Amino acid sequence: MTSRDLRVRRSELATPASSEKMLAKAPTTGADLVFMDLEDACAPSAKIQGRANIVKALNEYDWGDTVRAVRVNGLDTVWCHDDVIEVVSAAGHNLDVIIVPKARTARDVWWFDTLLGQLEAKLRLPHRIGLEVLIEEAEGLGNAYEIAKASPRLEAIILGAGDLSASLRARVDTNFQPVRGYPGDFWHHARATVVAAARAAGIDAIDYPFPNYRDEEAYRRDCDTASMLGFDGKWCIHPSQVPLANTAFSPTPEEIEWATGTRDAYRAAESAGTGAIAVDGMLVDAAHMRHVDTILSRARRKDRDAHGHQ
């Protein structure tokens, strides 16, 4: 069983690398994953100091079971190469994941995979550092399937609505929602594409950030929409969003009860030679059992996380 199978990503909390205060608070927020951000949340003048802040946070803070991640700058910037080398060289033994922004092709992922492989061998790191990739460019959305399968160290792909809306020249507000009435979920196509690409590759799918952190009810609805589509978690831009995401992307007690009862009933019928049964007046067959497996798998991952078996 690999780290990608064990990590829980209901909530991924963004934390500016330039803020030592926020970095110190991040491990206590209850987020499944915290990523220290050297890209958009870090001004150009603060990026080099941000690397030092990240190294200190990784090496000195008690992260418990929180997945420790860093979002580096993109391949088209002057900072990317040193972001990876300096952070991994100084704190790679305490780093779980690097998040790659603005991936456009599978080759972008290959670059990070190759560099990390070289560093892991040189530094003799005891574990493989995972990758998560942001789909936030029109070209990246078009290549989502190839990107999702580009590396065995890739653990998740993330939908980045902010840059993607700019890349598409979409007319959206600062919360990445259409400025005028739109029939349905504005992001449905992009969401469905990212989820399908993630499932085809056997990795996780993470939904986009929701900047309006004061509107908890709207964030909760957005989490529910993403969860219904199959996403494993959602970006959090503020600690107040963490418990909302953790709840939305966890199976409910009712779902677990239904899945457990249905599994037991189906297995009993199957052992007697029956391939379909009735549960609460509804037909249940092999297709339904795949849904049962999904619910129980998520419940097991959550339970492992709660007991520190990451």
Side-chain angles (χ1 to χ4, degrees), residues 44-68:
S45 61
K47 291 184 187 292
I48 293 176
Q49 179 59 45
R51 295 175 193 150
N53 294 343
I54 288 173
V55 169
K56 176 183 177 181
L58 287 171
N59 290 340
E60 297 183 13
Y61 298 165
D62 180 5
W63 291 88
D65 299 320
T66 306
V67 179
R68 304 155 295 182

Side-chain angles (χ1 to χ4, degrees), residues 73-308:
N73 287 280
L75 273 172
D76 58 349
T77 72
V78 298
W79 301 288
C80 178
H81 187 260
D82 289 337
D83 284 348
V84 177
I85 291 177
E86 290 186 20
V87 171
V88 174
S89 294
H93 55 294
N94 290 322
L95 177 63
D96 299 310
V97 172
I98 282 181
I99 297 179
V100 178
K102 299 178 177 66
R104 292 175 170 84
T105 68
R107 184 173 176 82
D108 294 346
V109 182
W110 172 86
W111 187 93
F112 284 92
D113 188 350
T114 300
L115 180 57
L116 285 173
Q118 293 171 347
L119 286 169
E120 289 163 352
K122 174 185 176 182
L123 301 169
R124 298 181 180 179
L125 295 182
H127 68 284
R128 183 173 72 180
I129 296 171
L131 287 175
E132 296 187 13
V133 173
L134 275 153
I135 302 297
E136 51 184 343
E137 296 289 333
E139 185 179 6
L141 186 64
N143 293 324
Y145 288 85
E146 291 80 7
I147 289 171
K149 294 183 177 182
S151 166
R153 72 171 77 233
L154 192 58
E155 299 182 9
I157 54 176
I158 309 165
L159 175 59
D163 278 293
L164 181 57
S165 59
S167 179
L168 295 172
R169 301 180 187 174
R171 298 180 66 186
V172 297
D173 60 23
T174 53
N175 205 46
F176 315 136
Q177 298 302 312
V179 296
R180 295 179 184 170
Y182 185 86
D185 176 11
F186 184 78
W187 289 107
H188 180 79
H189 169 70
R191 278 171 153 168
T193 298
V194 166
V195 167
R199 295 295 166 257
I203 61 178
D204 286 343
I206 308 301
D207 196 38
Y208 59 76
F210 195 87
N212 188 7
Y213 64 87
R214 288 191 174 93
D215 193 340
E216 293 188 357
E217 185 55 39
Y219 181 76
R220 185 182 289 108
R221 289 196 303 268
D222 215 44
C223 284
D224 287 341
T225 297
S227 178
M228 296 306 104
L229 285 170
F231 279 86
D232 299 283
K234 190 170 178 67
W235 195 308
C236 304
I237 59 95
H238 191 274
S240 64
Q241 294 179 332
V242 168
L244 303 177
N246 285 348
T247 297
F249 293 96
S250 297
T252 65
E254 292 78 14
E255 287 175 315
I256 295 173
E257 181 181 7
W258 173 84
T260 302
T262 300
R263 177 200 60 192
D264 294 345
Y266 189 85
R267 285 180 177 174
E270 193 176 41
S271 65
T274 302
I277 61 173
V279 177
D280 298 328
M282 296 290 291
L283 174 71
V284 173
D285 59 14
H288 293 89
M289 293 307 295
R290 296 179 66 181
H291 292 287
V292 166
D293 290 342
T294 296
I295 293 169
L296 297 181
S297 175
R298 285 179 172 168
R300 286 192 297 269
R301 288 176 72 178
K302 177 186 173 184
D303 185 63
R304 277 198 301 266
D305 181 64
H307 290 86

